[in-house]
Amino acid sequence: MIRYGTVLPLLLVAFALADEGYHYSDGHLHVLDFFQQGESLDKLVQAMDTGRIDHAMVSGAPLMKKWHEDEPKRPRYYAGDDAAMYWYSATDSYLAEALRQLPDRQRQRLHPFLSGINPTDKNAVIHLEKMLSLYPGLWQGIGEVLLRHDDLTAMTPNEPPRANSEAMHRIYRFAAKHDLPVLIHTNITSKRERNPLYLEELKDALEKHPQVRIIWAHAGTSKSLHRNQGVMDFVLPAVRELLQAHPNLTVDLSWTVLHPYLLDKQGRPTADWVKLVTDYPDRFILGSDALGRFDDIGEQMKAFEPFLQVLPETTARKVARDNFLRLLPSSSR
């Protein structure tokens, strides 16, 4: 029995919990940008505290933007001019050394993924093996592996990286051996084709590596795709088909999925995506996709709240925080 005198304190606790909102895991975050620059991890942890982000996946950036001899001013982003991008494996060492400087209590909230690999190179696993040897027990995943990525792919030499290339098959086998999830960015289509042009490449990878926990960044969408195509009506049925067929797939809902898919132009949750996430409550994660700067990651995560609030409460908590943690190696949970 609850005595009258205890009702008010209990109500105050309930209101406080409701006001606090969700706690998050940021499942997609880069501590370095495409110039291999970034704010300190201390600032990241401070931003996590402010934004109720309990855990974060952290990775470097696998590409470096060239400052071309003929450009008088350094570009601020990879799309700032036409200079090329090149693969940059040192990004993993930069991250590892930065993590070493953090106190244990902060480092335990950060989950480092290896990203400094060229996914068109069958030698990529050599780098992965070396990093595991140099920093034993540190790495908890692989990615973001940049595969088909519209303008970014066009600015990077050699053949377009594919989710089912021989180089990627080697990476998946390495991931299976070491119990590491793999976060990949592979667009669902090109800027001109209004059909899931590249979906078969992802299907092939999922079918051939069912033991690997593969995370699909942005559900195959990108800012450039939206700029050229607007809302792609084939994204949702493709995601549903993949989730039904492949239990090893998790979908990252970070920012290019939030708008225009999870929320409509008026900021209201879309019924079809609410049903999809409700049908597969363990298969979605959130991410800020921060790129070396962390001041707004709390706002990035909070932007998902209108969508989370219409999900069943248990599902919302899983998507906001817990699903990401379940993807990590069993030794890291």
Side-chain angles (χ1 to χ4, degrees):
M1 177 183 296
I2 299 177
R3 297 182 182 276
Y4 179 79
T6 66
V7 172
L8 183 58
L10 287 173
L11 287 174
L12 290 174
V13 170
F15 286 134
L17 289 172
D19 184 62
E20 185 184 80
Y22 297 97
H23 281 248
Y24 296 97
S25 291
D26 188 336
H28 186 159
L29 187 151
H30 303 273
V31 301
L32 298 167
D33 61 18
F34 288 115
F35 300 95
Q36 303 303 317
Q37 304 294 308
E39 295 180 327
S40 71
L41 296 187
D42 288 333
K43 287 191 175 181
L44 170 58
V45 173
Q46 291 171 14
M48 290 170 63
D49 289 340
T50 301
R52 302 193 305 274
I53 301 170
D54 297 338
H55 296 269
M57 169 273 196
V58 289
S59 69
L63 288 164
M64 171 76 99
K65 171 72 173 180
K66 180 178 180 180
W67 185 2
H68 197 280
E69 173 69 22
D70 297 333
E71 291 293 337
K73 183 178 180 181
R74 192 177 91 168
R76 292 188 296 273
Y77 191 54
Y78 75 79
D81 59 31
D82 295 330
M85 310 286 294
Y86 57 95
W87 302 103
Y88 199 83
S89 60
T91 196
D92 292 329
S93 295
Y94 294 164
L95 172 57
E97 292 304 316
L99 286 165
R100 276 183 163 181
Q101 299 174 32
L102 285 181
D104 284 346
R105 67 182 183 279
Q106 295 181 352
R107 192 164 59 242
Q108 289 170 3
R109 299 170 60 190
L110 304 180
H111 306 277
F113 280 37
L114 286 157
S115 66
I117 49 175
N118 177 348
T120 69
D121 185 357
K122 290 191 285 188
N123 284 318
V125 292
I126 296 176
H127 171 74
L128 297 176
E129 291 168 350
K130 190 68 171 177
M131 287 293 103
L132 259 63
S133 174
L134 287 173
Y135 303 98
L138 177 66
W139 305 106
Q140 299 178 33
I142 298 171
E144 181 187 13
V145 182
L146 296 178
L147 303 172
R148 293 195 183 271
H149 199 315
D150 41 73
D151 297 334
L152 189 59
T153 300
M155 301 177 79
T156 307
N158 301 318
E159 68 273 20
R162 294 182 286 108
N164 63 340
S165 66
E166 177 55 30
M168 283 304 299
H169 288 317
R170 290 170 179 252
I171 290 168
Y172 299 133
R173 290 194 290 268
F174 178 91
K177 177 181 177 181
H178 295 282
D179 189 31
L180 300 174
V182 183
L183 170 65
I184 63 173
H185 181 123
T186 181
N187 282 5
I188 194 169
T189 191
S190 70
K191 292 190 292 185
R192 296 289 180 262
E193 292 289 331
R194 291 198 64 82
N195 59 78
L197 181 65
Y198 302 132
L199 194 63
E200 292 301 319
E201 296 172 359
L202 177 56
K203 285 183 181 179
D204 188 40
L206 290 164
E207 289 169 1
K208 290 180 177 175
H209 304 279
Q211 74 279 32
V212 179
R213 301 182 298 283
I214 294 177
I215 309 165
W216 191 17
H218 315 289
T221 67
S222 74
K223 185 176 180 180
S224 291
L225 286 181
H226 293 159
R227 187 183 301 119
N228 285 272
Q229 299 227 36
V231 177
M232 297 174 285
D233 58 8
F234 50 84
V235 171
L236 185 142
V239 172
R240 180 174 286 278
E241 175 190 351
L242 290 177
L243 290 173
Q244 183 175 2
H246 304 288
N248 57 322
L249 176 67
T250 296
V251 178
D252 159 29
L253 295 172
S254 49
W255 63 292
T256 58
V257 189
L258 180 61
H259 299 286
Y261 297 102
L262 304 186
L263 303 178
D264 64 18
K265 291 181 180 179
Q266 287 73 44
R268 299 171 302 197
T270 55
D272 288 345
W273 279 88
V274 170
K275 177 167 174 43
L276 177 66
V277 176
T278 303
D279 288 345
Y280 295 94
D282 301 317
R283 309 284 293 282
F284 293 92
I285 65 172
L286 307 180
S288 68
D289 198 16
L291 200 62
R293 298 189 64 84
F294 316 122
D295 54 325
D296 68 343
I297 61 171
E299 291 302 312
Q300 293 283 346
M301 305 304 286
K302 188 177 180 180
F304 288 96
E305 289 195 1
F307 185 81
L308 293 171
Q309 288 167 354
V310 300
L311 298 175
E313 182 179 353
T314 301
T315 299
R317 305 287 177 187
K318 287 180 176 181
V319 174
R321 181 184 184 275
D322 298 339
N323 286 345
F324 169 73
L325 298 177
R326 282 195 289 268
L327 292 169
L328 299 174
S330 55
S331 59
S332 305
R333 295 173 197 166

